[in-house]
Amino acid sequence: MQFLSDNTAAVHPLVWEAMRAADSSDAGYDGDRLSQQLDAAFSDVFERGCAALWVATGTAANCLALSTMVQPHGAVVCHHEAHIEMDEGGAPGFYLHGAKLLLAEGEDAKVSVDSVKAVLDPIRDDVHQVQAHALSITQASESGCVYRPDELQALGELARARKLGFHMDGARFANAVAFLGCSPSEAAGPVDALSFGCVKNGAMSAEAIVFFDPDLAAVARYRRKRAGHLQSKGRYLAAQLLAMLKNDLWLTNAAQANAAARLIAEGVGDRLLHPVEANEVFCLLSADEREILRSQGFEFYDWGAYAARFVAGWDSKPEAAGALSRAIGRL
Amino acid sequence: MQFLSDNTAAVHPLVWEAMRAADSSDAGYDGDRLSQQLDAAFSDVFERGCAALWVATGTAANCLALSTMVQPHGAVVCHHEAHIEMDEGGAPGFYLHGAKLLLAEGEDAKVSVDSVKAVLDPIRDDVHQVQAHALSITQASESGCVYRPDELQALGELARARKLGFHMDGARFANAVAFLGCSPSEAAGPVDALSFGCVKNGAMSAEAIVFFDPDLAAVARYRRKRAGHLQSKGRYLAAQLLAMLKNDLWLTNAAQANAAARLIAEGVGDRLLHPVEANEVFCLLSADEREILRSQGFEFYDWGAYAARFVAGWDSKPEAAGALSRAIGRL
Amino acid sequence: MQFLSDNTAAVHPLVWEAMRAADSSDAGYDGDRLSQQLDAAFSDVFERGCAALWVATGTAANCLALSTMVQPHGAVVCHHEAHIEMDEGGAPGFYLHGAKLLLAEGEDAKVSVDSVKAVLDPIRDDVHQVQAHALSITQASESGCVYRPDELQALGELARARKLGFHMDGARFANAVAFLGCSPSEAAGPVDALSFGCVKNGAMSAEAIVFFDPDLAAVARYRRKRAGHLQSKGRYLAAQLLAMLKNDLWLTNAAQANAAARLIAEGVGDRLLHPVEANEVFCLLSADEREILRSQGFEFYDWGAYAARFVAGWDSKPEAAGALSRAIGRL
Amino acid sequence: MQFLSDNTAAVHPLVWEAMRAADSSDAGYDGDRLSQQLDAAFSDVFERGCAALWVATGTAANCLALSTMVQPHGAVVCHHEAHIEMDEGGAPGFYLHGAKLLLAEGEDAKVSVDSVKAVLDPIRDDVHQVQAHALSITQASESGCVYRPDELQALGELARARKLGFHMDGARFANAVAFLGCSPSEAAGPVDALSFGCVKNGAMSAEAIVFFDPDLAAVARYRRKRAGHLQSKGRYLAAQLLAMLKNDLWLTNAAQANAAARLIAEGVGDRLLHPVEANEVFCLLSADEREILRSQGFEFYDWGAYAARFVAGWDSKPEAAGALSRAIGRL
């Protein structure tokens, strides 16, 4: 009864199958038959032309995407709880050559037009101050909450008006689309680049960076190699991504994880810290209460001193989620 | 009859098996049971204590290793044909924050004590000139040739005397050990860090960086995350490495590739550009001759205007190697 | 009646004289007779061995000093209003190759042992989080306030205990010493490197980086050249520094500026935002009130929407300071 | 009788005068009256619109200029003896965030269209290889030789055809113009940015970066601050540059230095290594011969094992140059 992270989930059987089928190859790096299909496959998903590059991690996806938009003397506006700020070991500083992160506020780890303006407006056009070059948001957010299409449009307009690149960290983009029930394109909004997560959702080691601007993709191809992220047997990453897209496996998996999270949330009542819109449940629980849950076999992370985080994976069992929900309800 | 690259080889069945067995996990990143076994497994191989980190590519392995030895204002001495100089898209400049590569000469893409001194000696202790912080060599070299243990000792003494870190790019280290017939430790010599290649030798997406100095490894752990190379499902990389080490699969595979290369070399006669000591054969062939070979179904890369490179993989068929050898002999 | 900044002050006549006397030279860069005297001259001031390098700006001094203490994957703890965070155009990100600034709280733009601990303690020894490598404080602070010797000792102990380098931005160090009336060594405390400001205090284009650890100075010499800060006619910078030290001109100038600031403060009453301990006066003033002062010929910067900053230079006239004080009193 | 370097020359009296006149100021950084005149003053010199920024060193000028043209994953083509490759302590690696220098051949330290093509043509459009983003040449070259206007046009066409930025290191640009007797604009050719040297030619601490593309200048302003090169009393640098331009002092000084070099060259005969087109004389001289010259009071640097370099400054005495010439003739 493991709710530590969606990273501990297994690889989906269909992904395994696709990887095995990639064993025989015509070419190395991303010259193979499978890698060459990615642009078309993602263009289908997003109903417009895009270029898609595989990479092994979400950190690399985020930072490579941003490196195409942000010059070293610039900055990225993001939420103060954003993964790029909190959890990537300083990777943005590395990939962006010292560019800054400028931290915005917002409920549920989501920025708003107003909170982004509150960061941007005090910056004078003055060389003593670092200027913003891009806006990065997370869909679903670090609190498991989802930007609605109209919010994305408004943020996109702001980005365009301020001449900012617009990036989306979609480590849990699938969960957001499954929640919204809209098209992937609507859930992405007018971003220039999307880190399209798969590892948390049934893949083994492949994320996609989806560029809606081919010029950015051209830069990213060089930066990916320069960062040591161009795998020589890239066909195995392409195979994972194609398997995830095939027959909407990515959406099926995400819907399962979301459903498990909703099941957990049912018993949580007033303890909920954030609305449950994706596959994460943040829940006020005292240290004693957490101890009780752990003694019953539930695994999860503390979330500060007074709360816990439960993450459902694509393979979380509904029975386990239900049991957790009831156990919380009994506390 | 494919001799393009060892990167196009399949993943070995035992590696697949080990990966599948890693599906259920206790922890993410490198906290899992398998990743935790790496230090001990590599210490067994090298008969001394070492710390081993998985990464997905040889470029990342080389550059992360060097980043623990070279400050941004320093330099790395390497052969002018070294992979880090020629084929990594500027990754050393990225990982080392602008440190330089200082290029040494040498037959068969191997540096010598004298050729390294020829680079080092003219550098004055003067801030106008970039100072060397490390020496990096490739075992087996980019020409498929192998440093002997006494050569490694001599280079190691030079490195120590000049206070240089000592790194080995071992993308084909297995092939070198198989050729030398010595212990892995002798084939590595007194290096501080070794990029231990597996992807060209039957793995899918896992190389090891082996540190013989734990302080360097401690830095590398932070740098790996910062470079986006800490995979969240790292257990699948650890599984690959452990499978390669188990029962010396890495040496068996390399011996097979070396044998295929020797088979090819038999028909080559005077056309050989370099001794065949690993799994690569460099062969003088005119454009017309290459055309003839290709028309017979052999795939390989041109090597400049007058030569070709044939690379044997762990799964190269002896029959194909023999056929190629005879085809060259008939030219 | 100019109180905009100490940067608009003139160059002191004795500094001009020393520069002119440096016209004939024996050697370029820092090989000249004057540059060679700096270590001894600053060792006299600080009553212990130190190495001193000239640079042209405080930003370069701060960032070069920090670059000797902080690896690219690390971080610097500093006050959230620190110059390195607020006013250096991202220079720390450039010089430290993407290392982070971690921001501490504190009254009067001064950090405390507790506020630094509040930053350090939540950082786990975990590669997902950037680790602190140095602590940087400003003496006098960005609010014109001064660390007392016991505060410096306590911060130094914390830095030592946490294995942090300890740096002091002393753009207005002279003003702090003049205020404290203690020795320069006491006013610096146990820092490893001090940016010793002169440009705001009567020099033209020379600051010193004073290293109390010779190993750090050795690195800084290479980094200075690499940053394009090794001037070929460095003797003119050395001349400025030596002139500032001679007969304690630096302290005389600072005392004059401090006195002018105290004069201003006399009329300010409850409007003071911070104690006036150096040469800056921060004063609550409405937009209308500021307008009145400007119409009377006083020049100064707004400090947010409700306040103004008045800075006294070494050449501020007591009469002007008195006039300003009375003008504020009359509001 | 000092011919070590033009860096040891004194500051010209008219430059001193202009600096003293800058003592009273209206604004800091580059907001002052003098800095604001630079664009117009240089536009007059070059007979077309340009933007000019002061910096303290040639290294900073070169690297900041290049940083506006070269992305971190790119490269600069330059001569293998170029100052940026040989003498700047790795500054291009720092300022360009790890971009490479690609080294071209050429007589007299000058590249040619053919030698640049010999570097560019083998580079495939392949992420494994670093792509060139700019071409940088030195006018006058490191061997004291001068590009003719038609050579500059040809190189400019090549740069444009290959989409390269075009930069000129003009540390001795004044000497080149004085030699060519053409307009400054013709001597600069179609470069995008020029490092306009003054420190070797009578100034104290001011070089100009002249941008013929305003977009590049806009980036450079941010990069200059970020590199700690925005001096707070920048008016003293602007004063130096304006004094150098006034009444063509820069050309007068350069003509004097060139004349002194030609005087030296008269006695050199077959010993000359390069044509003397600027203010440097490279001369074959054995160790014994150099010893004899030094015993006669001449100061200069060895140039490898078999030669010496003599550099004339704006203030070199014709008598001393003549004496040196005769002393070499007597050897």
Side-chain angles (χ1 to χ4, degrees), chain D residues 8-296:
Chain D
T8 49
V11 170
H12 193 281
L14 291 171
V15 174
W16 277 121
E17 202 173 282
M19 291 169 73
R20 288 304 296 259
D23 234 356
S24 86
S25 171
D26 43 339
Y29 302 102
D30 62 355
D32 65 279
R33 189 178 41 82
L34 298 175
S35 298
Q36 297 290 315
Q37 295 172 35
L38 290 178
D39 290 1
F42 278 92
S43 296
D44 273 359
V45 168
F46 286 99
E47 301 169 283
R48 53 181 166 141
C50 59
L53 281 73
W54 43 250
V55 282
T57 68
T59 294
N62 289 337
C63 292
L64 285 170
L66 288 168
S67 77
T68 66
M69 304 174 184
V70 179
Q71 288 197 62
H73 61 282
V76 180
V77 182
C78 64
H79 195 276
H80 68 89
E81 296 178 61
H83 200 261
I84 55 176
E85 162 67 9
M86 296 291 284
D87 298 300
E88 301 195 344
F94 181 45
Y95 276 86
L96 306 183
H97 299 288
K100 286 192 95 160
L101 301 184
L102 302 174
L103 306 180
E105 299 296 318
E107 292 292 300
D108 299 330
K110 290 166 55 182
V111 301
S112 65
V113 166
D114 284 347
S115 79
V116 173
K117 281 186 180 169
V119 170
L120 295 174
D121 288 345
I123 302 173
R124 302 181 308 274
D125 179 12
D126 172 344
V127 299
H128 292 78
Q129 296 190 295
V130 179
Q131 309 292 309
H133 289 189
L135 169 65
S136 177
I137 64 173
T138 310
Q139 173 80 311
S141 83
E142 282 72 15
S143 296
C145 296
V146 172
Y147 288 91
R148 305 305 192 271
D150 61 324
E151 294 176 309
L152 297 169
Q153 290 300 328
L155 288 167
E157 273 166 43
L158 177 63
R160 196 165 47 249
R162 303 296 179 102
K163 299 195 170 122
L164 306 179
F166 192 10
H167 165 253
M168 179 178 281
D169 175 353
R172 295 187 178 94
F173 181 70
N175 305 91
V177 178
F179 169 77
L180 290 170
C182 66
S183 73
S185 193
E186 287 169 306
V191 296
D192 300 305
L194 165 67
S195 302
F196 184 100
C198 288
V199 172
K200 294 178 190 296
N201 194 30
M204 186 179 91
S205 61
E207 313 277 79
I209 323 177
V210 182
F211 288 99
F212 298 102
D213 176 339
D215 289 346
L216 302 187
V219 170
R221 288 184 200 283
Y222 279 93
R223 298 275 180 134
R224 177 175 61 175
K225 172 60 201 174
R226 192 176 190 238
H229 275 286
L230 183 69
Q231 296 195 18
S232 61
K233 295 181 173 175
R235 61 192 186 269
Y236 295 108
L237 284 85
Q240 295 177 56
L241 296 178
L242 294 170
M244 290 296 292
L245 294 189
K246 193 173 178 187
N247 297 328
D248 286 341
L249 176 62
W250 65 297
L251 291 174
T252 307
N253 281 358
Q256 288 170 204
N258 285 6
R262 278 197 307 274
L263 262 180
I264 298 169
E266 281 176 9
V268 171
D270 288 353
R271 295 173 181 271
L272 267 192
L273 286 173
H274 304 287
V276 175
E277 300 181 348
N279 63 327
E280 296 182 290
V281 181
F282 297 86
C283 181
L284 278 171
L285 286 169
S286 70
D288 285 352
E289 292 170 331
R290 283 174 270 150
E291 187 52 36
I292 292 169
L293 291 174
R294 285 190 174 115
S295 72
Q296 299 173 9

Side-chain angles (χ1 to χ4, degrees), chain B residues 227-284:
Chain B
H229 276 286
L230 182 69
Q231 296 195 19
S232 61
K233 295 181 173 174
R235 61 193 186 268
Y236 295 106
L237 285 84
Q240 295 176 57
L241 297 179
L242 294 171
M244 290 296 292
L245 295 189
K246 192 171 178 187
N247 299 327
D248 287 339
L249 177 62
W250 65 297
L251 291 174
T252 307
N253 281 358
Q256 288 170 206
N258 286 6
R262 277 198 308 274
L263 262 180
I264 298 169
E266 281 176 9
V268 171
D270 288 353
R271 295 172 182 270
L272 266 193
L273 287 173
H274 305 287
V276 175
E277 300 181 348
N279 63 327
E280 297 181 290
V281 181
F282 297 86
C283 181
L284 277 171

Side-chain angles (χ1 to χ4, degrees), chain B residues 29 67 71-74 96-99 124-131 218-219 221-223 225-226 230, chain C residues 29 67 71-74 96-99 124-131 218-219 221-223 225-226 230:
Chain B
Y29 303 103
S67 77
Q71 288 196 61
H73 62 283
L96 306 183
H97 299 289
R124 303 182 307 275
D125 179 12
D126 172 343
V127 298
H128 292 77
Q129 296 190 296
V130 179
Q131 309 292 309
V219 171
R221 288 185 201 282
Y222 280 93
R223 297 276 179 133
K225 172 61 201 174
R226 190 177 193 239
L230 182 69
Chain C
Y29 302 103
S67 78
Q71 289 197 63
H73 60 283
L96 307 182
H97 299 289
R124 302 182 307 275
D125 179 12
D126 171 343
V127 298
H128 292 77
Q129 295 190 295
V130 180
Q131 309 292 308
V219 170
R221 288 184 200 282
Y222 279 93
R223 298 275 180 134
K225 171 61 200 173
R226 190 175 191 241
L230 183 69

